[in-house]
Amino acid sequence: MPTASVPSPAAPSRPAPSRVRRTVFVDGVRTPFGRARADGLYTGTRADDLAVKAVRELLRRHPQLPPDRIDEVAIAATTQQGDQGLTLGRTVGVLAGLPRSVPGYAVDRMCAGAMTAVTNLAAQIGVGAADVALAGGVEHMGRHPMGLDADPNPRFLSERLVAPDALNMGVTAENLHDRFPHLTRERADAYGAASQRKYAAALAAGRIEPDLVPVATRDPERGWGLATADEPPRPGTTVEGIGALPTPFRAGGRVTAGTSAPLTDGAAACLLAAEDTASALGLPVRMRLVAFAYAGVEPEIMGVGPVPATRRALERASLTIDDIGLFEINEAFAVQVIAFLDAFGIPDDDPRVNPYGGAIAVGHPLASSGVRLMTQLARQFAEHPEVRYGLTTMCVGLGQGGTVIWENPHHADYVPSSDEEVAP
């Protein structure tokens, strides 16, 4: 009986590198963020279409990139169901018009989904498995509330593997206040008001809009519209106003809507490349990835996750916290940010921290936020050539943290490398 013949694999176009290649951040964009509620911006918009819009915008901004040079697409979502399911990286790539030859996959590390998509693809680039890749994330929390239809294993509680309140993110923020009494409500309230103030200033200065891609929207009652601006920010927020808000996660607690990221819909995407490939294709280099790390902590105080993750990333990069000139810290809760700042001896109002404000103001569409942080850091690098290193960091549900350290190509000491050089 004849057997089917299997074609021999094509010869590689170039030898695999023997050393780690350097990954660069070419560009990042995001949709305007909307409030996750029945009358929000995206109530009638599909989640996957939000991700497609971000990917298409990257392709539009970089026509010098042949789409068939993209080697991989990784798109994250926390609640992978409905229009956020079906292997998002592949489906978004097809819907965005990429060649069928471009593969893709989905990622889930809860809030650090897009961050993990970036670091996974950077690892692929580093070992020569990809030259150019697309990473991103989407979360339509209006359609897919966090944890919807999740079925946590009863062993978590029956075997006391985690505390009962570890699965409620707001309660974990209250636990941080309990565990570290010096992280007072007054400090958190001041930080929440400052986030709104900094975002409003950045918006007025024209620093937010360049990274936004307008999205056509359709609402069954309001008809067609165009989303061009973020919906969650509350300009004019004051410390006194936050202080008067209720504490929904605990009676007499300290965490309020004014010190928490609102439930949000939105998507973000970025383009990554090997540094030599970016040069050959004429793609800009906005940042270089230096090191990254993830770490686990007690789930009931998940907000401290960025601390060990940052220490690990700094060690891998042979840097100290004093080498970092800009910080983009995801503001899931104000107490989580000030816990990070205290751990490294950084003042609450340090101008290096979230210069454009953060998730308390703009929103936190879970799996997409990691790329928002990166896109904002890239823009700040261009404004501050005197800063050589910056980092993006975030806490992650169930007790994790993730940190990525980046180098500024505008700094005087930045030296582009060839494939053969080793990234520090």
Side-chain angles (χ1 to χ4, degrees):
M1 181 176 178
T3 58
S5 61
V6 179
S8 300
S13 58
R14 54 176 174 75
S18 59
R19 295 185 177 184
V20 177
R21 306 163 75 209
R22 290 164 55 142
T23 299
V24 297
F25 184 96
V26 172
D27 200 3
V29 298
R30 66 176 178 87
T31 68
F33 287 170
R35 286 190 170 271
R37 59 190 190 191
D39 61 347
L41 276 177
Y42 300 126
T43 186
T45 304
R46 289 180 61 97
D48 48 11
D49 283 338
L50 292 175
V52 167
K53 189 66 176 179
V55 168
R56 283 181 172 169
E57 178 64 10
L58 285 172
L59 298 175
R60 186 193 69 80
R61 293 188 183 196
H62 301 284
Q64 70 274 45
L65 172 64
D68 61 1
R69 288 299 304 271
I70 297 171
D71 295 307
E72 189 73 273
V73 181
I75 304 293
T78 298
T79 307
Q80 295 191 11
Q81 60 176 217
D83 55 352
Q84 286 185 183
L86 201 60
T87 314
L88 274 171
R90 176 60 172 171
T91 57
V92 167
V94 171
L95 290 166
L98 294 179
R100 298 295 193 270
S101 58
V102 178
Y105 62 97
V107 177
D108 175 20
R109 199 197 292 261
M110 299 187 78
C111 300
M115 176 179 283
T116 301
V118 167
T119 55
N120 282 358
L121 293 176
Q124 286 184 240
I125 291 170
V127 300
D131 292 325
V132 182
L134 283 163
V138 61
E139 212 74 50
H140 198 309
M141 300 184 75
R143 290 184 176 212
H144 311 288
M146 184 169 60
L148 180 67
D149 292 334
D151 181 19
N153 195 301
R155 291 179 51 232
F156 278 128
L157 300 183
S158 65
E159 299 181 16
R160 300 185 179 181
L161 300 175
V162 299
D165 56 13
L167 302 180
N168 184 309
M169 299 302 102
V171 175
T172 68
E174 289 283 7
N175 291 344
L176 272 182
H177 279 293
D178 293 342
R179 185 76 62 93
F180 307 106
H182 60 284
L183 305 178
T184 63
R185 174 170 179 173
E186 290 72 24
R187 289 178 64 186
D189 289 355
Y191 186 91
S195 180
Q196 298 280 357
R197 186 169 58 251
K198 289 190 287 185
Y199 174 86
L203 182 66
R207 294 186 170 109
I208 302 297
E209 188 176 4
D211 297 324
L212 301 184
V213 50
V215 177
T217 62
R218 186 179 185 279
D219 181 272
E221 296 182 1
R222 293 174 292 183
W224 288 96
L226 188 66
T228 60
D230 295 314
E231 188 178 30
R234 295 185 179 278
T237 296
T238 64
V239 174
E240 293 74 20
I242 293 176
L245 294 173
T247 58
F249 303 110
R250 181 185 297 170
R254 287 141 294 191
V255 180
T256 71
T259 55
S260 309
L263 302 179
T264 316
D265 304 332
C270 67
L271 188 61
L272 306 169
E275 189 168 39
D276 71 309
T277 302
S279 177
L281 294 175
L283 297 170
V285 173
R286 300 183 66 190
M287 303 192 293
R288 179 180 75 86
L289 194 152
V290 177
F292 65 88
Y294 298 92
V297 297
E298 297 171 62
E300 55 269 26
I301 53 167
M302 68 97 190
V304 299
V307 175
T310 297
R311 287 176 176 150
R312 188 174 295 178
L314 288 169
E315 181 179 359
R316 290 175 177 172
S318 298
L319 298 173
T320 71
I321 200 69
D322 294 332
D323 293 311
I324 306 302
L326 287 165
F327 298 82
E328 275 294 322
I329 308 171
N330 191 47
E331 297 172 355
F333 301 96
V335 66
Q336 160 251 315
V337 180
I338 59 177
F340 176 93
L341 298 179
D342 270 19
F344 290 103
I346 301 170
D348 292 0
D349 59 353
D350 193 303
R352 298 173 298 167
V353 176
N354 293 4
Y356 297 173
I360 289 173
V362 74
H364 176 29
L366 301 182
S368 69
S369 289
V371 166
R372 178 189 68 81
L373 300 176
M374 296 169 191
T375 301
Q376 291 193 177
L377 180 62
R379 188 162 297 281
Q380 292 157 20
F381 271 166
E383 296 173 2
H384 296 282
E386 76 282 4
V387 172
R388 185 170 184 182
Y389 297 107
L391 66 76
T392 53
T393 189
M394 59 202 316
C395 59
V396 187
L398 293 181
Q400 298 183 81
T403 297
V404 187
I405 297 175
W406 303 88
E407 184 179 12
N408 187 354
H410 307 286
H411 191 273
D413 293 332
Y414 183 82
V415 179
S417 73
S418 66
D419 268 358
E420 289 71 35
E421 290 182 306
V422 179

